[in-house]
Amino acid sequence: MKFAIFGDIHANLEALQTVLADAEAQECTHYVCIGDIVGYNANPGECLRIVRDLGCPVVRGNHDEEAAGDTQLEGLNHLARHALEWTRHQLTQEERDWLLANKLVRQVRDFTIVHATLDTPGNWGYVTNKFDAMASFSYQFTQLCFYGHTHVPRIYVKGESVELHPDTEVHLQLGKKYFINVGSVGQPRDGDWRAAYTIYDVEHQHVRLHRLEYDLATTQRKIVEAGLPERLADRLSVGQ
Ligand code: ZN
């Protein structure tokens, strides 16, 4: 049993297709989405329908929630707001309802999934250091929890305050708790432009981060053609 765990797709169709093709090639048997299917890039409807058709567990991200709502977009930066207003018009009411119906936290088999944090999942805080991770660990009742939101892949281990950078296979040890950021499919922010997702191999008890080149030029062209801010296209090249 191998789980492909992916999220922060942000309407990047080329990156999503590349990730799912790779997951299939890696013989993943199950899929799990940790949210933010839409926002920022130019193919929200296409990405939503692909994820939905997988029929896999999905949790709601902050961009999913904002795209589904019709309230004033406050407290977001200019780029995110512009893209979300545009995204709202690209989705049907039924698709927006589906986004909003996804839960904030879910347990899948023996692990937990959440978009942002476990301590206050609806507040959309960011886990960027071991202290933030400790707050989530207080509410983590499974050995593993996978999350996203920062777009920076990372592993926090409870009891050791050690940060492991998952560019290689990480063996999971019994008795330890892990809070694992699976990276971003469609808008990485760790300085590496390639699409990211993580495979959890249940039988061998390890996780591995995968990075994949995709057709970036097409994604960038679509962003510009849609009339979205060019900075959204530019940032994809540098992984920020
Ligand atoms: Zn995101």
PDB file of all heavy atoms in Angstrom, residues 6-13 16-17 19-20 31-38 43-59 64 98-99 102 185:
ATOM      1  N   PHE A   6      -0.568  14.773  -1.750  1.00  0.00           N
ATOM      2  CA  PHE A   6      -0.244  15.978  -2.524  1.00  0.00           C
ATOM      3  C   PHE A   6      -1.233  17.088  -2.209  1.00  0.00           C
ATOM      4  O   PHE A   6      -2.358  16.834  -1.786  1.00  0.00           O
ATOM      5  CB  PHE A   6      -0.291  15.656  -4.026  1.00  0.00           C
ATOM      6  CG  PHE A   6      -1.653  15.216  -4.503  1.00  0.00           C
ATOM      7  CD1 PHE A   6      -2.504  16.117  -5.124  1.00  0.00           C
ATOM      8  CD2 PHE A   6      -2.097  13.927  -4.290  1.00  0.00           C
ATOM      9  CE1 PHE A   6      -3.775  15.737  -5.545  1.00  0.00           C
ATOM     10  CE2 PHE A   6      -3.374  13.531  -4.700  1.00  0.00           C
ATOM     11  CZ  PHE A   6      -4.212  14.437  -5.328  1.00  0.00           C
ATOM     12  N   GLY A   7      -0.789  18.330  -2.420  1.00  0.00           N
ATOM     13  CA  GLY A   7      -1.687  19.456  -2.187  1.00  0.00           C
ATOM     14  C   GLY A   7      -1.055  20.758  -2.649  1.00  0.00           C
ATOM     15  O   GLY A   7      -0.003  20.750  -3.302  1.00  0.00           O
ATOM     16  N   ASP A   8      -1.705  21.883  -2.266  1.00  0.00           N
ATOM     17  CA  ASP A   8      -1.269  23.187  -2.768  1.00  0.00           C
ATOM     18  C   ASP A   8      -1.006  23.126  -4.272  1.00  0.00           C
ATOM     19  O   ASP A   8       0.037  23.556  -4.759  1.00  0.00           O
ATOM     20  CB  ASP A   8      -0.067  23.708  -1.962  1.00  0.00           C
ATOM     21  CG  ASP A   8      -0.488  24.066  -0.540  1.00  0.00           C
ATOM     22  OD1 ASP A   8      -1.287  25.006  -0.384  1.00  0.00           O
ATOM     23  OD2 ASP A   8      -0.064  23.365   0.408  1.00  0.00           O
ATOM     24  N   ILE A   9      -2.009  22.612  -4.942  1.00  0.00           N
ATOM     25  CA  ILE A   9      -1.986  22.486  -6.402  1.00  0.00           C
ATOM     26  C   ILE A   9      -2.158  23.864  -7.036  1.00  0.00           C
ATOM     27  O   ILE A   9      -1.515  24.198  -8.024  1.00  0.00           O
ATOM     28  CB  ILE A   9      -3.139  21.560  -6.852  1.00  0.00           C
ATOM     29  CG1 ILE A   9      -2.973  20.176  -6.229  1.00  0.00           C
ATOM     30  CG2 ILE A   9      -3.197  21.470  -8.381  1.00  0.00           C
ATOM     31  CD1 ILE A   9      -4.285  19.416  -6.107  1.00  0.00           C
ATOM     32  N   HIS A  10      -3.059  24.634  -6.437  1.00  0.00           N
ATOM     33  CA  HIS A  10      -3.283  26.016  -6.870  1.00  0.00           C
ATOM     34  C   HIS A  10      -3.504  26.153  -8.374  1.00  0.00           C
ATOM     35  O   HIS A  10      -2.905  27.007  -9.032  1.00  0.00           O
ATOM     36  CB  HIS A  10      -2.144  26.916  -6.372  1.00  0.00           C
ATOM     37  CG  HIS A  10      -2.212  27.161  -4.896  1.00  0.00           C
ATOM     38  ND1 HIS A  10      -3.259  27.822  -4.311  1.00  0.00           N
ATOM     39  CD2 HIS A  10      -1.386  26.782  -3.885  1.00  0.00           C
ATOM     40  CE1 HIS A  10      -3.081  27.862  -3.001  1.00  0.00           C
ATOM     41  NE2 HIS A  10      -1.957  27.233  -2.717  1.00  0.00           N
ATOM     42  N   ALA A  11      -4.379  25.294  -8.885  1.00  0.00           N
ATOM     43  CA  ALA A  11      -4.854  25.442 -10.274  1.00  0.00           C
ATOM     44  C   ALA A  11      -3.740  25.338 -11.316  1.00  0.00           C
ATOM     45  O   ALA A  11      -3.869  25.872 -12.413  1.00  0.00           O
ATOM     46  CB  ALA A  11      -5.622  26.765 -10.434  1.00  0.00           C
ATOM     47  N   ASN A  12      -2.664  24.647 -10.946  1.00  0.00           N
ATOM     48  CA  ASN A  12      -1.568  24.417 -11.897  1.00  0.00           C
ATOM     49  C   ASN A  12      -1.766  23.034 -12.526  1.00  0.00           C
ATOM     50  O   ASN A  12      -1.348  22.009 -11.979  1.00  0.00           O
ATOM     51  CB  ASN A  12      -0.226  24.512 -11.160  1.00  0.00           C
ATOM     52  CG  ASN A  12       0.961  24.419 -12.104  1.00  0.00           C
ATOM     53  OD1 ASN A  12       0.869  23.810 -13.172  1.00  0.00           O
ATOM     54  ND2 ASN A  12       2.076  24.995 -11.695  1.00  0.00           N
ATOM     55  N   LEU A  13      -2.414  23.015 -13.681  1.00  0.00           N
ATOM     56  CA  LEU A  13      -2.812  21.755 -14.323  1.00  0.00           C
ATOM     57  C   LEU A  13      -1.610  20.920 -14.776  1.00  0.00           C
ATOM     58  O   LEU A  13      -1.579  19.704 -14.587  1.00  0.00           O
ATOM     59  CB  LEU A  13      -3.712  22.057 -15.532  1.00  0.00           C
ATOM     60  CG  LEU A  13      -4.202  20.849 -16.333  1.00  0.00           C
ATOM     61  CD1 LEU A  13      -5.048  19.917 -15.468  1.00  0.00           C
ATOM     62  CD2 LEU A  13      -4.991  21.303 -17.556  1.00  0.00           C
ATOM     63  N   LEU A  16       0.007  19.291 -11.816  1.00  0.00           N
ATOM     64  CA  LEU A  16      -0.841  18.229 -11.261  1.00  0.00           C
ATOM     65  C   LEU A  16      -0.782  16.971 -12.128  1.00  0.00           C
ATOM     66  O   LEU A  16      -0.634  15.846 -11.615  1.00  0.00           O
ATOM     67  CB  LEU A  16      -2.289  18.714 -11.137  1.00  0.00           C
ATOM     68  CG  LEU A  16      -3.302  17.664 -10.644  1.00  0.00           C
ATOM     69  CD1 LEU A  16      -2.943  17.164  -9.241  1.00  0.00           C
ATOM     70  CD2 LEU A  16      -4.718  18.232 -10.647  1.00  0.00           C
ATOM     71  N   GLN A  17      -0.889  17.148 -13.441  1.00  0.00           N
ATOM     72  CA  GLN A  17      -0.839  15.983 -14.338  1.00  0.00           C
ATOM     73  C   GLN A  17       0.497  15.255 -14.227  1.00  0.00           C
ATOM     74  O   GLN A  17       0.554  14.025 -14.245  1.00  0.00           O
ATOM     75  CB  GLN A  17      -1.087  16.434 -15.785  1.00  0.00           C
ATOM     76  CG  GLN A  17      -2.537  16.824 -16.029  1.00  0.00           C
ATOM     77  CD  GLN A  17      -2.750  17.483 -17.396  1.00  0.00           C
ATOM     78  OE1 GLN A  17      -1.852  18.161 -17.903  1.00  0.00           O
ATOM     79  NE2 GLN A  17      -3.920  17.304 -17.969  1.00  0.00           N
ATOM     80  N   VAL A  19       2.512  15.196 -11.594  1.00  0.00           N
ATOM     81  CA  VAL A  19       2.570  14.510 -10.292  1.00  0.00           C
ATOM     82  C   VAL A  19       1.753  13.214 -10.321  1.00  0.00           C
ATOM     83  O   VAL A  19       2.216  12.157  -9.868  1.00  0.00           O
ATOM     84  CB  VAL A  19       2.066  15.453  -9.167  1.00  0.00           C
ATOM     85  CG1 VAL A  19       1.640  14.678  -7.921  1.00  0.00           C
ATOM     86  CG2 VAL A  19       3.157  16.462  -8.815  1.00  0.00           C
ATOM     87  N   LEU A  20       0.558  13.289 -10.884  1.00  0.00           N
ATOM     88  CA  LEU A  20      -0.292  12.084 -10.876  1.00  0.00           C
ATOM     89  C   LEU A  20       0.276  10.994 -11.787  1.00  0.00           C
ATOM     90  O   LEU A  20       0.173   9.805 -11.467  1.00  0.00           O
ATOM     91  CB  LEU A  20      -1.723  12.447 -11.280  1.00  0.00           C
ATOM     92  CG  LEU A  20      -2.468  13.334 -10.266  1.00  0.00           C
ATOM     93  CD1 LEU A  20      -3.863  13.647 -10.752  1.00  0.00           C
ATOM     94  CD2 LEU A  20      -2.508  12.696  -8.874  1.00  0.00           C
ATOM     95  N   TYR A  31      -4.542   7.762  -3.095  1.00  0.00           N
ATOM     96  CA  TYR A  31      -4.259   9.189  -3.229  1.00  0.00           C
ATOM     97  C   TYR A  31      -4.916   9.953  -2.084  1.00  0.00           C
ATOM     98  O   TYR A  31      -5.994   9.582  -1.625  1.00  0.00           O
ATOM     99  CB  TYR A  31      -4.801   9.714  -4.560  1.00  0.00           C
ATOM    100  CG  TYR A  31      -4.109   9.095  -5.758  1.00  0.00           C
ATOM    101  CD1 TYR A  31      -4.496   7.847  -6.243  1.00  0.00           C
ATOM    102  CD2 TYR A  31      -3.054   9.745  -6.372  1.00  0.00           C
ATOM    103  CE1 TYR A  31      -3.844   7.268  -7.328  1.00  0.00           C
ATOM    104  CE2 TYR A  31      -2.397   9.178  -7.452  1.00  0.00           C
ATOM    105  CZ  TYR A  31      -2.797   7.935  -7.931  1.00  0.00           C
ATOM    106  OH  TYR A  31      -2.143   7.370  -8.993  1.00  0.00           O
ATOM    107  N   VAL A  32      -4.244  11.019  -1.657  1.00  0.00           N
ATOM    108  CA  VAL A  32      -4.775  11.858  -0.584  1.00  0.00           C
ATOM    109  C   VAL A  32      -4.414  13.309  -0.914  1.00  0.00           C
ATOM    110  O   VAL A  32      -3.263  13.600  -1.256  1.00  0.00           O
ATOM    111  CB  VAL A  32      -4.139  11.470   0.781  1.00  0.00           C
ATOM    112  CG1 VAL A  32      -4.504  12.487   1.850  1.00  0.00           C
ATOM    113  CG2 VAL A  32      -4.580  10.078   1.207  1.00  0.00           C
ATOM    114  N   CYS A  33      -5.400  14.210  -0.797  1.00  0.00           N
ATOM    115  CA  CYS A  33      -5.147  15.617  -1.135  1.00  0.00           C
ATOM    116  C   CYS A  33      -5.288  16.491   0.109  1.00  0.00           C
ATOM    117  O   CYS A  33      -6.321  16.466   0.780  1.00  0.00           O
ATOM    118  CB  CYS A  33      -6.112  16.075  -2.226  1.00  0.00           C
ATOM    119  SG  CYS A  33      -5.902  17.813  -2.647  1.00  0.00           S
ATOM    120  N   ILE A  34      -4.252  17.287   0.396  1.00  0.00           N
ATOM    121  CA  ILE A  34      -4.269  18.092   1.619  1.00  0.00           C
ATOM    122  C   ILE A  34      -4.693  19.550   1.360  1.00  0.00           C
ATOM    123  O   ILE A  34      -4.452  20.415   2.192  1.00  0.00           O
ATOM    124  CB  ILE A  34      -2.929  18.005   2.400  1.00  0.00           C
ATOM    125  CG1 ILE A  34      -1.714  18.278   1.512  1.00  0.00           C
ATOM    126  CG2 ILE A  34      -2.733  16.632   3.007  1.00  0.00           C
ATOM    127  CD1 ILE A  34      -1.269  19.662   1.514  1.00  0.00           C
ATOM    128  N   GLY A  35      -5.396  19.796   0.248  1.00  0.00           N
ATOM    129  CA  GLY A  35      -6.107  21.060   0.071  1.00  0.00           C
ATOM    130  C   GLY A  35      -5.383  22.133  -0.727  1.00  0.00           C
ATOM    131  O   GLY A  35      -4.240  21.955  -1.146  1.00  0.00           O
ATOM    132  N   ASP A  36      -6.088  23.246  -0.917  1.00  0.00           N
ATOM    133  CA  ASP A  36      -5.685  24.312  -1.840  1.00  0.00           C
ATOM    134  C   ASP A  36      -5.531  23.772  -3.266  1.00  0.00           C
ATOM    135  O   ASP A  36      -4.461  23.829  -3.875  1.00  0.00           O
ATOM    136  CB  ASP A  36      -4.428  25.063  -1.364  1.00  0.00           C
ATOM    137  CG  ASP A  36      -4.789  26.234  -0.456  1.00  0.00           C
ATOM    138  OD1 ASP A  36      -5.984  26.404  -0.130  1.00  0.00           O
ATOM    139  OD2 ASP A  36      -3.886  26.990  -0.066  1.00  0.00           O
ATOM    140  N   ILE A  37      -6.657  23.312  -3.762  1.00  0.00           N
ATOM    141  CA  ILE A  37      -6.723  22.828  -5.142  1.00  0.00           C
ATOM    142  C   ILE A  37      -6.710  24.023  -6.096  1.00  0.00           C
ATOM    143  O   ILE A  37      -6.158  23.957  -7.189  1.00  0.00           O
ATOM    144  CB  ILE A  37      -8.012  21.988  -5.340  1.00  0.00           C
ATOM    145  CG1 ILE A  37      -7.991  20.768  -4.405  1.00  0.00           C
ATOM    146  CG2 ILE A  37      -8.168  21.553  -6.800  1.00  0.00           C
ATOM    147  CD1 ILE A  37      -9.327  20.058  -4.273  1.00  0.00           C
ATOM    148  N   VAL A  38      -7.329  25.118  -5.666  1.00  0.00           N
ATOM    149  CA  VAL A  38      -7.495  26.290  -6.543  1.00  0.00           C
ATOM    150  C   VAL A  38      -6.719  27.499  -6.010  1.00  0.00           C
ATOM    151  O   VAL A  38      -6.081  27.435  -4.973  1.00  0.00           O
ATOM    152  CB  VAL A  38      -8.991  26.638  -6.706  1.00  0.00           C
ATOM    153  CG1 VAL A  38      -9.762  25.440  -7.251  1.00  0.00           C
ATOM    154  CG2 VAL A  38      -9.588  27.111  -5.376  1.00  0.00           C
ATOM    155  N   ASN A  43      -5.941  27.144 -14.037  1.00  0.00           N
ATOM    156  CA  ASN A  43      -6.848  26.029 -14.337  1.00  0.00           C
ATOM    157  C   ASN A  43      -7.580  25.470 -13.104  1.00  0.00           C
ATOM    158  O   ASN A  43      -7.499  24.265 -12.816  1.00  0.00           O
ATOM    159  CB  ASN A  43      -6.078  24.886 -15.026  1.00  0.00           C
ATOM    160  CG  ASN A  43      -5.708  25.217 -16.461  1.00  0.00           C
ATOM    161  OD1 ASN A  43      -4.534  25.376 -16.779  1.00  0.00           O
ATOM    162  ND2 ASN A  43      -6.687  25.362 -17.334  1.00  0.00           N
ATOM    163  N   PRO A  44      -8.322  26.319 -12.386  1.00  0.00           N
ATOM    164  CA  PRO A  44      -8.996  25.839 -11.177  1.00  0.00           C
ATOM    165  C   PRO A  44     -10.036  24.748 -11.439  1.00  0.00           C
ATOM    166  O   PRO A  44     -10.067  23.730 -10.735  1.00  0.00           O
ATOM    167  CB  PRO A  44      -9.654  27.103 -10.598  1.00  0.00           C
ATOM    168  CG  PRO A  44      -9.734  28.063 -11.738  1.00  0.00           C
ATOM    169  CD  PRO A  44      -8.562  27.754 -12.622  1.00  0.00           C
ATOM    170  N   GLY A  45     -10.874  24.956 -12.461  1.00  0.00           N
ATOM    171  CA  GLY A  45     -11.939  23.980 -12.742  1.00  0.00           C
ATOM    172  C   GLY A  45     -11.372  22.629 -13.142  1.00  0.00           C
ATOM    173  O   GLY A  45     -11.826  21.584 -12.660  1.00  0.00           O
ATOM    174  N   GLU A  46     -10.362  22.641 -13.993  1.00  0.00           N
ATOM    175  CA  GLU A  46      -9.755  21.394 -14.473  1.00  0.00           C
ATOM    176  C   GLU A  46      -9.125  20.630 -13.304  1.00  0.00           C
ATOM    177  O   GLU A  46      -9.289  19.413 -13.183  1.00  0.00           O
ATOM    178  CB  GLU A  46      -8.682  21.688 -15.534  1.00  0.00           C
ATOM    179  CG  GLU A  46      -9.231  22.215 -16.849  1.00  0.00           C
ATOM    180  CD  GLU A  46      -9.503  23.726 -16.843  1.00  0.00           C
ATOM    181  OE1 GLU A  46      -9.433  24.353 -15.762  1.00  0.00           O
ATOM    182  OE2 GLU A  46      -9.806  24.265 -17.918  1.00  0.00           O
ATOM    183  N   CYS A  47      -8.384  21.357 -12.457  1.00  0.00           N
ATOM    184  CA  CYS A  47      -7.719  20.694 -11.323  1.00  0.00           C
ATOM    185  C   CYS A  47      -8.747  20.150 -10.341  1.00  0.00           C
ATOM    186  O   CYS A  47      -8.606  19.032  -9.834  1.00  0.00           O
ATOM    187  CB  CYS A  47      -6.768  21.665 -10.623  1.00  0.00           C
ATOM    188  SG  CYS A  47      -5.323  22.067 -11.629  1.00  0.00           S
ATOM    189  N   LEU A  48      -9.791  20.934 -10.087  1.00  0.00           N
ATOM    190  CA  LEU A  48     -10.843  20.478  -9.172  1.00  0.00           C
ATOM    191  C   LEU A  48     -11.471  19.181  -9.673  1.00  0.00           C
ATOM    192  O   LEU A  48     -11.648  18.225  -8.914  1.00  0.00           O
ATOM    193  CB  LEU A  48     -11.897  21.575  -9.014  1.00  0.00           C
ATOM    194  CG  LEU A  48     -13.016  21.339  -8.003  1.00  0.00           C
ATOM    195  CD1 LEU A  48     -13.518  22.674  -7.455  1.00  0.00           C
ATOM    196  CD2 LEU A  48     -14.191  20.559  -8.580  1.00  0.00           C
ATOM    197  N   ARG A  49     -11.778  19.146 -10.960  1.00  0.00           N
ATOM    198  CA  ARG A  49     -12.456  17.947 -11.494  1.00  0.00           C
ATOM    199  C   ARG A  49     -11.535  16.720 -11.463  1.00  0.00           C
ATOM    200  O   ARG A  49     -11.990  15.608 -11.195  1.00  0.00           O
ATOM    201  CB  ARG A  49     -12.975  18.234 -12.905  1.00  0.00           C
ATOM    202  CG  ARG A  49     -14.162  19.214 -12.879  1.00  0.00           C
ATOM    203  CD  ARG A  49     -14.820  19.377 -14.236  1.00  0.00           C
ATOM    204  NE  ARG A  49     -14.067  20.220 -15.144  1.00  0.00           N
ATOM    205  CZ  ARG A  49     -14.136  21.565 -15.176  1.00  0.00           C
ATOM    206  NH1 ARG A  49     -14.904  22.226 -14.332  1.00  0.00           N
ATOM    207  NH2 ARG A  49     -13.428  22.254 -16.050  1.00  0.00           N
ATOM    208  N   ILE A  50     -10.249  16.920 -11.702  1.00  0.00           N
ATOM    209  CA  ILE A  50      -9.311  15.790 -11.649  1.00  0.00           C
ATOM    210  C   ILE A  50      -9.239  15.218 -10.227  1.00  0.00           C
ATOM    211  O   ILE A  50      -9.323  14.004 -10.022  1.00  0.00           O
ATOM    212  CB  ILE A  50      -7.898  16.218 -12.131  1.00  0.00           C
ATOM    213  CG1 ILE A  50      -7.906  16.432 -13.646  1.00  0.00           C
ATOM    214  CG2 ILE A  50      -6.843  15.186 -11.739  1.00  0.00           C
ATOM    215  CD1 ILE A  50      -6.629  17.033 -14.203  1.00  0.00           C
ATOM    216  N   VAL A  51      -9.087  16.100  -9.249  1.00  0.00           N
ATOM    217  CA  VAL A  51      -8.973  15.639  -7.861  1.00  0.00           C
ATOM    218  C   VAL A  51     -10.280  14.971  -7.426  1.00  0.00           C
ATOM    219  O   VAL A  51     -10.282  13.904  -6.805  1.00  0.00           O
ATOM    220  CB  VAL A  51      -8.629  16.809  -6.909  1.00  0.00           C
ATOM    221  CG1 VAL A  51      -8.678  16.366  -5.452  1.00  0.00           C
ATOM    222  CG2 VAL A  51      -7.245  17.369  -7.246  1.00  0.00           C
ATOM    223  N   ARG A  52     -11.370  15.599  -7.800  1.00  0.00           N
ATOM    224  CA  ARG A  52     -12.675  15.058  -7.430  1.00  0.00           C
ATOM    225  C   ARG A  52     -12.894  13.671  -8.037  1.00  0.00           C
ATOM    226  O   ARG A  52     -13.402  12.763  -7.379  1.00  0.00           O
ATOM    227  CB  ARG A  52     -13.733  16.021  -7.943  1.00  0.00           C
ATOM    228  CG  ARG A  52     -15.083  15.815  -7.384  1.00  0.00           C
ATOM    229  CD  ARG A  52     -15.948  16.920  -7.929  1.00  0.00           C
ATOM    230  NE  ARG A  52     -17.321  16.721  -7.537  1.00  0.00           N
ATOM    231  CZ  ARG A  52     -18.285  17.595  -7.767  1.00  0.00           C
ATOM    232  NH1 ARG A  52     -18.010  18.715  -8.376  1.00  0.00           N
ATOM    233  NH2 ARG A  52     -19.504  17.362  -7.382  1.00  0.00           N
ATOM    234  N   ASP A  53     -12.480  13.501  -9.293  1.00  0.00           N
ATOM    235  CA  ASP A  53     -12.661  12.213  -9.963  1.00  0.00           C
ATOM    236  C   ASP A  53     -11.783  11.116  -9.364  1.00  0.00           C
ATOM    237  O   ASP A  53     -12.078   9.929  -9.542  1.00  0.00           O
ATOM    238  CB  ASP A  53     -12.364  12.348 -11.468  1.00  0.00           C
ATOM    239  CG  ASP A  53     -13.468  13.109 -12.193  1.00  0.00           C
ATOM    240  OD1 ASP A  53     -14.539  13.344 -11.564  1.00  0.00           O
ATOM    241  OD2 ASP A  53     -13.269  13.499 -13.361  1.00  0.00           O
ATOM    242  N   LEU A  54     -10.711  11.499  -8.679  1.00  0.00           N
ATOM    243  CA  LEU A  54      -9.890  10.485  -8.009  1.00  0.00           C
ATOM    244  C   LEU A  54     -10.685   9.814  -6.887  1.00  0.00           C
ATOM    245  O   LEU A  54     -10.390   8.690  -6.493  1.00  0.00           O
ATOM    246  CB  LEU A  54      -8.623  11.119  -7.411  1.00  0.00           C
ATOM    247  CG  LEU A  54      -7.499  11.502  -8.370  1.00  0.00           C
ATOM    248  CD1 LEU A  54      -6.428  12.286  -7.611  1.00  0.00           C
ATOM    249  CD2 LEU A  54      -6.885  10.271  -9.029  1.00  0.00           C
ATOM    250  N   GLY A  55     -11.653  10.561  -6.353  1.00  0.00           N
ATOM    251  CA  GLY A  55     -12.486  10.022  -5.272  1.00  0.00           C
ATOM    252  C   GLY A  55     -11.695   9.785  -3.991  1.00  0.00           C
ATOM    253  O   GLY A  55     -12.058   8.942  -3.171  1.00  0.00           O
ATOM    254  N   CYS A  56     -10.629  10.542  -3.818  1.00  0.00           N
ATOM    255  CA  CYS A  56      -9.741  10.320  -2.664  1.00  0.00           C
ATOM    256  C   CYS A  56     -10.111  11.250  -1.510  1.00  0.00           C
ATOM    257  O   CYS A  56     -10.843  12.212  -1.701  1.00  0.00           O
ATOM    258  CB  CYS A  56      -8.296  10.540  -3.091  1.00  0.00           C
ATOM    259  SG  CYS A  56      -7.903  12.254  -3.528  1.00  0.00           S
ATOM    260  N   PRO A  57      -9.601  10.976  -0.308  1.00  0.00           N
ATOM    261  CA  PRO A  57      -9.822  11.908   0.800  1.00  0.00           C
ATOM    262  C   PRO A  57      -9.198  13.274   0.478  1.00  0.00           C
ATOM    263  O   PRO A  57      -8.091  13.338  -0.041  1.00  0.00           O
ATOM    264  CB  PRO A  57      -9.082  11.253   1.974  1.00  0.00           C
ATOM    265  CG  PRO A  57      -8.947   9.813   1.601  1.00  0.00           C
ATOM    266  CD  PRO A  57      -8.834   9.795   0.106  1.00  0.00           C
ATOM    267  N   VAL A  58      -9.949  14.330   0.794  1.00  0.00           N
ATOM    268  CA  VAL A  58      -9.489  15.711   0.551  1.00  0.00           C
ATOM    269  C   VAL A  58      -9.811  16.535   1.786  1.00  0.00           C
ATOM    270  O   VAL A  58     -10.894  16.391   2.351  1.00  0.00           O
ATOM    271  CB  VAL A  58     -10.238  16.342  -0.655  1.00  0.00           C
ATOM    272  CG1 VAL A  58      -9.748  17.766  -0.917  1.00  0.00           C
ATOM    273  CG2 VAL A  58     -10.102  15.498  -1.919  1.00  0.00           C
ATOM    274  N   VAL A  59      -8.904  17.388   2.210  1.00  0.00           N
ATOM    275  CA  VAL A  59      -9.262  18.385   3.224  1.00  0.00           C
ATOM    276  C   VAL A  59      -9.269  19.776   2.584  1.00  0.00           C
ATOM    277  O   VAL A  59      -8.640  20.001   1.557  1.00  0.00           O
ATOM    278  CB  VAL A  59      -8.315  18.378   4.453  1.00  0.00           C
ATOM    279  CG1 VAL A  59      -8.621  17.201   5.369  1.00  0.00           C
ATOM    280  CG2 VAL A  59      -6.849  18.403   4.041  1.00  0.00           C
ATOM    281  N   ASP A  64      -9.331  27.225  -1.107  1.00  0.00           N
ATOM    282  CA  ASP A  64     -10.568  26.513  -1.455  1.00  0.00           C
ATOM    283  C   ASP A  64     -11.758  27.197  -0.777  1.00  0.00           C
ATOM    284  O   ASP A  64     -12.803  27.409  -1.389  1.00  0.00           O
ATOM    285  CB  ASP A  64     -10.505  25.048  -0.979  1.00  0.00           C
ATOM    286  CG  ASP A  64      -9.341  24.285  -1.596  1.00  0.00           C
ATOM    287  OD1 ASP A  64      -8.939  24.620  -2.723  1.00  0.00           O
ATOM    288  OD2 ASP A  64      -8.852  23.343  -0.944  1.00  0.00           O
ATOM    289  N   TRP A  98     -18.805  21.923  -3.352  1.00  0.00           N
ATOM    290  CA  TRP A  98     -17.980  20.739  -3.094  1.00  0.00           C
ATOM    291  C   TRP A  98     -16.728  21.136  -2.320  1.00  0.00           C
ATOM    292  O   TRP A  98     -16.333  20.467  -1.359  1.00  0.00           O
ATOM    293  CB  TRP A  98     -17.615  20.045  -4.409  1.00  0.00           C
ATOM    294  CG  TRP A  98     -16.751  18.842  -4.204  1.00  0.00           C
ATOM    295  CD1 TRP A  98     -17.165  17.591  -3.843  1.00  0.00           C
ATOM    296  CD2 TRP A  98     -15.314  18.778  -4.315  1.00  0.00           C
ATOM    297  NE1 TRP A  98     -16.069  16.751  -3.726  1.00  0.00           N
ATOM    298  CE2 TRP A  98     -14.927  17.455  -4.011  1.00  0.00           C
ATOM    299  CE3 TRP A  98     -14.324  19.709  -4.645  1.00  0.00           C
ATOM    300  CZ2 TRP A  98     -13.592  17.037  -4.025  1.00  0.00           C
ATOM    301  CZ3 TRP A  98     -13.002  19.302  -4.659  1.00  0.00           C
ATOM    302  CH2 TRP A  98     -12.656  17.977  -4.354  1.00  0.00           C
ATOM    303  N   LEU A  99     -16.082  22.240  -2.715  1.00  0.00           N
ATOM    304  CA  LEU A  99     -14.881  22.710  -2.007  1.00  0.00           C
ATOM    305  C   LEU A  99     -15.173  22.983  -0.538  1.00  0.00           C
ATOM    306  O   LEU A  99     -14.395  22.626   0.341  1.00  0.00           O
ATOM    307  CB  LEU A  99     -14.348  23.998  -2.655  1.00  0.00           C
ATOM    308  CG  LEU A  99     -13.615  23.878  -3.991  1.00  0.00           C
ATOM    309  CD1 LEU A  99     -13.299  25.270  -4.528  1.00  0.00           C
ATOM    310  CD2 LEU A  99     -12.336  23.057  -3.851  1.00  0.00           C
ATOM    311  N   ASN A 102     -15.674  19.939   1.988  1.00  0.00           N
ATOM    312  CA  ASN A 102     -14.531  19.162   2.481  1.00  0.00           C
ATOM    313  C   ASN A 102     -14.198  19.573   3.916  1.00  0.00           C
ATOM    314  O   ASN A 102     -14.223  20.743   4.255  1.00  0.00           O
ATOM    315  CB  ASN A 102     -13.311  19.385   1.575  1.00  0.00           C
ATOM    316  CG  ASN A 102     -13.474  18.703   0.238  1.00  0.00           C
ATOM    317  OD1 ASN A 102     -13.957  17.589   0.155  1.00  0.00           O
ATOM    318  ND2 ASN A 102     -13.080  19.397  -0.832  1.00  0.00           N
ATOM    319  N   VAL A 185       2.397  21.121  -5.019  1.00  0.00           N
ATOM    320  CA  VAL A 185       2.371  20.699  -6.426  1.00  0.00           C
ATOM    321  C   VAL A 185       2.562  21.918  -7.334  1.00  0.00           C
ATOM    322  O   VAL A 185       3.419  21.922  -8.220  1.00  0.00           O
ATOM    323  CB  VAL A 185       1.025  20.007  -6.774  1.00  0.00           C
ATOM    324  CG1 VAL A 185       0.916  19.759  -8.290  1.00  0.00           C
ATOM    325  CG2 VAL A 185       0.870  18.707  -6.008  1.00  0.00           C
TER     326      VAL A 185
END
